Amino acid sequence: MAEPLIYILILNYRAWRDTVACLGALEKLEYPNYRVLVLDNASDNDSVAQIRAAFPKVEVMELGRNLGYAGGNNVGIRRALTEGAAYVWLLNPDTLPDARALAAMVEQAQQDVQIGAVGSVLYEMDRPEQVQAWGGGEVVLPWGLIRLLNHPGQTPRLNYISGASLLLRREALERVGLLDEGFFMYGEDADMGLRLLKSGFKLAVAPQARVWHKGGTSWHGSLKADEHFAAYNVRLFRKHAPRPGLAVAGYAFFWLVEFSLRGRFDRVGALWRGLRRGWRLPLSV
């Protein structure tokens, strides 16, 4: 029996150097049946030209405007489903997957048709043996806590697969829908995980799927990132928490203490702006 078709989606925004490095790693994949589609989220630099020059055989789809993580990837997901893909692998451009990563994730998914999404073990790019996330993270909805998991023993607490490396089953997407485009950046992977679990699907991690991940390339370390992060996590709690107000209060308290202890009062301001924005974001798109 032929291996199922996998569509690999890489969403690029300005970060063509990362994307080119990622594409180079994908050429070494030990899996025979996949297609790669690069989606450029209206980069305002020469990303498209650079990627096409480095990998002329890879399809690059130019999006007319910046649709964010969810909107940009949804364009690719729709294409993948139309082309008959059994799975869609969302892969951040700032990652370097091991040659066995895709095969290991597919093998994990094929063990149980109720597995809706599979994650890889993410490692720090600059510390190659340091686990960044064991597949994804945990969302404690009553108290507004979101945290990455970093050990296989924590797998039962897994609520979502990190969007940095997220393999989605076709049937899961057909049942629960695509990514929620109300999350422009941040929160969309946690939302998808919670929706999958609510619909009866399972989440899994493939231990042999090793992927090295830098972290954010466009907003990393910026106050704007803090604001976005807070806003879309507030939207996440409003959408899923049994008591959204309590969850948001817990979330705000945790980060207020964190930033204050570090003396980063500029980030407290960004947090406050994000909290206010998050309450105004519409829950339907």
Side-chain angles (χ1 to χ4, degrees), residues 36-75:
V36 178
L37 175 62
V38 175
L39 302 137
D40 186 75
N41 229 347
S43 297
D44 53 5
N45 60 7
D46 60 347
S47 278
V48 171
Q50 293 284 357
I51 294 166
R52 285 177 171 159
F55 289 92
K57 295 183 179 180
V58 172
E59 182 179 1
V60 180
M61 182 184 295
E62 297 183 65
L63 305 179
R65 59 188 177 88
N66 187 349
L67 301 176
Y69 177 91
N73 274 308
N74 278 347
V75 173

Coordinates of all heavy atoms in Angstrom, one line a residue, residues 36-75:
V36 N 5.5 20.0 -1.3 CA 5.8 21.2 -0.5 C 5.2 22.4 -1.2 O 5.3 22.6 -2.4 CB 7.3 21.4 -0.4 CG1 7.6 22.7 0.4 CG2 8.0 20.2 0.3
L37 N 4.5 23.2 -0.4 CA 3.9 24.5 -0.9 C 4.3 25.6 0.1 O 4.0 25.5 1.3 CB 2.4 24.4 -0.9 CG 1.6 25.6 -1.3 CD1 2.0 26.1 -2.7 CD2 0.1 25.4 -1.2
V38 N 5.0 26.6 -0.5 CA 5.4 27.8 0.3 C 4.3 28.8 0.1 O 4.0 29.1 -1.1 CB 6.8 28.3 -0.1 CG1 7.1 29.6 0.6 CG2 7.8 27.3 0.2
L39 N 3.8 29.4 1.1 CA 2.8 30.4 1.0 C 3.4 31.7 1.5 O 3.9 31.8 2.7 CB 1.6 30.1 1.9 CG 0.9 28.8 1.5 CD1 0.5 28.0 2.8 CD2 -0.4 29.1 0.7
D40 N 3.5 32.7 0.6 CA 4.1 34.0 1.1 C 3.0 34.9 1.5 O 2.2 35.3 0.7 CB 5.0 34.6 0.0 CG 5.7 35.8 0.5 OD1 6.7 35.7 1.2 OD2 5.3 36.9 0.2
N41 N 3.1 35.4 2.7 CA 2.1 36.2 3.3 C 2.3 37.7 3.0 O 2.4 38.5 3.9 CB 2.0 36.0 4.8 CG 0.6 35.7 5.4 OD1 -0.3 35.9 4.7 ND2 0.6 35.2 6.6
A42 N 2.4 38.0 1.7 CA 2.6 39.4 1.3 C 3.8 40.1 1.9 O 3.7 41.2 2.4 CB 1.3 40.2 1.5
S43 N 4.9 39.3 1.8 CA 6.2 39.9 2.4 C 6.5 41.2 1.6 O 6.4 41.3 0.4 CB 7.3 38.9 2.2 OG 7.1 37.7 2.9
D44 N 7.0 42.2 2.4 CA 7.4 43.5 1.8 C 8.9 43.5 1.5 O 9.5 44.6 1.5 CB 6.9 44.6 2.7 CG 7.4 44.5 4.1 OD1 8.2 43.6 4.4 OD2 7.0 45.4 4.9
N45 N 9.5 42.4 1.3 CA 10.9 42.3 0.9 C 11.0 41.4 -0.3 O 10.0 41.1 -1.0 CB 11.8 41.9 2.0 CG 11.5 40.5 2.6 OD1 10.7 39.8 2.0 ND2 12.1 40.1 3.7
D46 N 12.2 40.9 -0.6 CA 12.4 40.1 -1.8 C 12.3 38.6 -1.5 O 13.0 37.8 -2.2 CB 13.7 40.4 -2.5 CG 14.9 40.2 -1.6 OD1 14.7 40.0 -0.4 OD2 16.1 40.2 -2.1
S47 N 11.5 38.2 -0.5 CA 11.4 36.8 -0.1 C 11.1 35.9 -1.3 O 11.7 34.9 -1.5 CB 10.3 36.7 1.0 OG 10.8 37.0 2.2
V48 N 10.0 36.3 -2.0 CA 9.6 35.4 -3.1 C 10.7 35.1 -4.1 O 11.0 34.0 -4.5 CB 8.3 35.9 -3.8 CG1 8.0 35.1 -5.0 CG2 7.2 36.0 -2.8
A49 N 11.4 36.2 -4.5 CA 12.5 36.0 -5.5 C 13.6 35.2 -4.9 O 14.2 34.3 -5.7 CB 13.0 37.4 -5.9
Q50 N 13.9 35.4 -3.7 CA 15.0 34.6 -3.1 C 14.7 33.2 -3.0 O 15.5 32.3 -3.2 CB 15.3 35.2 -1.7 CG 15.9 36.6 -1.7 CD 17.4 36.6 -2.1 OE1 18.0 35.6 -2.4 NE2 18.0 37.8 -2.2
I51 N 13.4 32.9 -2.6 CA 13.0 31.5 -2.4 C 13.0 30.8 -3.7 O 13.5 29.6 -3.9 CB 11.7 31.4 -1.7 CG1 11.8 31.9 -0.2 CG2 11.1 29.9 -1.7 CD1 10.5 32.2 0.4
R52 N 12.4 31.4 -4.7 CA 12.4 30.8 -6.1 C 13.7 30.6 -6.7 O 14.0 29.6 -7.4 CB 11.5 31.7 -7.0 CG 10.0 31.6 -6.7 CD 9.1 32.5 -7.5 NE 7.7 32.1 -7.3 CZ 6.7 33.0 -7.6 NH1 7.0 34.2 -8.0 NH2 5.5 32.6 -7.4
A53 N 14.6 31.5 -6.4 CA 16.0 31.4 -7.0 C 16.7 30.2 -6.3 O 17.4 29.5 -7.0 CB 16.8 32.7 -6.7
A54 N 16.5 30.0 -5.0 CA 17.2 28.9 -4.3 C 16.5 27.5 -4.6 O 17.2 26.5 -4.7 CB 17.1 29.2 -2.8
F55 N 15.2 27.5 -4.8 CA 14.4 26.3 -5.0 C 13.4 26.5 -6.1 O 12.2 26.6 -5.9 CB 13.7 25.8 -3.7 CG 14.7 25.4 -2.7 CD1 15.1 26.2 -1.7 CD2 15.1 24.0 -2.6 CE1 16.0 25.8 -0.7 CE2 16.0 23.6 -1.7 CZ 16.4 24.5 -0.7
P56 N 13.9 26.5 -7.4 CA 13.0 26.8 -8.5 C 11.9 25.8 -8.7 O 10.9 26.1 -9.3 CB 14.0 26.9 -9.7 CG 15.2 26.2 -9.3 CD 15.3 26.4 -7.8
K57 N 12.1 24.6 -8.2 CA 11.0 23.5 -8.4 C 10.0 23.5 -7.3 O 9.0 22.8 -7.5 CB 11.7 22.2 -8.5 CG 12.6 22.0 -9.7 CD 13.2 20.6 -9.7 CE 14.1 20.4 -10.9 NZ 14.7 19.0 -11.0
V58 N 10.2 24.3 -6.3 CA 9.2 24.4 -5.2 C 8.1 25.4 -5.5 O 8.5 26.6 -5.9 CB 9.9 24.7 -3.9 CG1 8.8 25.0 -2.8 CG2 10.8 23.6 -3.4
E59 N 6.9 25.1 -5.4 CA 5.8 26.0 -5.7 C 5.7 27.1 -4.6 O 5.6 26.7 -3.4 CB 4.5 25.3 -5.8 CG 3.3 26.2 -6.2 CD 2.0 25.6 -6.4 OE1 1.9 24.3 -6.2 OE2 1.0 26.3 -6.7
V60 N 5.7 28.3 -5.0 CA 5.5 29.4 -4.1 C 4.2 30.1 -4.4 O 4.1 30.6 -5.6 CB 6.7 30.4 -4.1 CG1 6.4 31.6 -3.1 CG2 8.0 29.7 -3.8
M61 N 3.3 30.2 -3.5 CA 2.0 30.9 -3.8 C 2.0 32.2 -3.1 O 2.2 32.3 -1.9 CB 0.8 30.0 -3.2 CG -0.5 30.7 -3.5 SD -1.9 29.7 -2.7 CE -1.8 28.2 -3.7
E62 N 1.9 33.3 -3.8 CA 1.9 34.6 -3.3 C 0.5 35.0 -2.9 O -0.5 35.0 -3.7 CB 2.4 35.6 -4.3 CG 3.9 35.4 -4.7 CD 4.4 36.4 -5.7 OE1 4.5 37.6 -5.3 OE2 4.7 36.0 -6.8
L63 N 0.3 35.4 -1.6 CA -1.0 35.8 -1.1 C -1.1 37.3 -1.3 O -0.1 38.0 -1.1 CB -1.1 35.4 0.4 CG -0.9 33.9 0.7 CD1 -1.1 33.6 2.2 CD2 -1.9 33.1 -0.1
G64 N -2.3 37.8 -1.6 CA -2.5 39.2 -2.0 C -2.2 40.1 -0.8 O -1.9 41.3 -1.0
R65 N -2.4 39.6 0.4 CA -2.2 40.5 1.6 C -1.8 39.6 2.8 O -2.0 38.3 2.7 CB -3.5 41.3 2.0 CG -4.7 40.4 2.2 CD -6.0 41.2 2.4 NE -7.2 40.4 2.6 CZ -7.6 40.0 3.8 NH1 -7.0 40.3 4.9 NH2 -8.7 39.3 3.8
N66 N -1.4 40.2 3.8 CA -1.0 39.4 5.0 C -2.2 38.9 5.7 O -2.9 39.6 6.3 CB -0.1 40.2 5.9 CG 0.5 39.4 7.1 OD1 0.1 38.3 7.3 ND2 1.4 40.1 7.8
L67 N -2.4 37.5 5.6 CA -3.6 36.9 6.2 C -3.4 36.4 7.6 O -4.3 35.8 8.2 CB -4.1 35.8 5.3 CG -4.5 36.2 3.9 CD1 -4.8 34.9 3.1 CD2 -5.6 37.2 3.9
G68 N -2.2 36.6 8.2 CA -1.8 36.0 9.5 C -1.5 34.5 9.3 O -1.6 33.9 8.3
Y69 N -1.2 33.9 10.5 CA -0.9 32.5 10.5 C -2.1 31.6 10.1 O -2.0 30.8 9.2 CB -0.4 32.1 11.9 CG -0.1 30.6 12.0 CD1 1.2 30.2 11.8 CD2 -1.1 29.7 12.4 CE1 1.5 28.8 11.9 CE2 -0.8 28.4 12.5 CZ 0.5 27.9 12.3 OH 0.8 26.6 12.4
A70 N -3.2 31.9 10.7 CA -4.4 31.0 10.4 C -4.9 31.2 8.9 O -5.1 30.3 8.2 CB -5.5 31.3 11.4
G71 N -5.1 32.5 8.6 CA -5.6 32.8 7.2 C -4.6 32.3 6.1 O -5.1 31.7 5.1
G72 N -3.3 32.5 6.3 CA -2.4 32.1 5.3 C -2.3 30.6 5.2 O -2.4 30.0 4.1
N73 N -2.3 29.9 6.3 CA -2.2 28.4 6.2 C -3.5 27.8 5.7 O -3.5 26.8 5.0 CB -1.9 27.9 7.6 CG -0.4 27.8 7.8 OD1 0.4 27.2 7.0 ND2 0.1 28.3 9.0
N74 N -4.6 28.5 6.0 CA -5.9 28.0 5.5 C -6.0 27.9 4.0 O -6.6 27.0 3.4 CB -7.1 28.8 6.0 CG -7.5 28.4 7.4 OD1 -7.0 27.3 7.9 ND2 -8.3 29.2 8.1
V75 N -5.3 28.9 3.3 CA -5.3 28.9 1.9 C -4.6 27.6 1.4 O -5.0 26.9 0.5 CB -4.5 30.1 1.3 CG1 -4.3 30.0 -0.2 CG2 -5.3 31.4 1.7

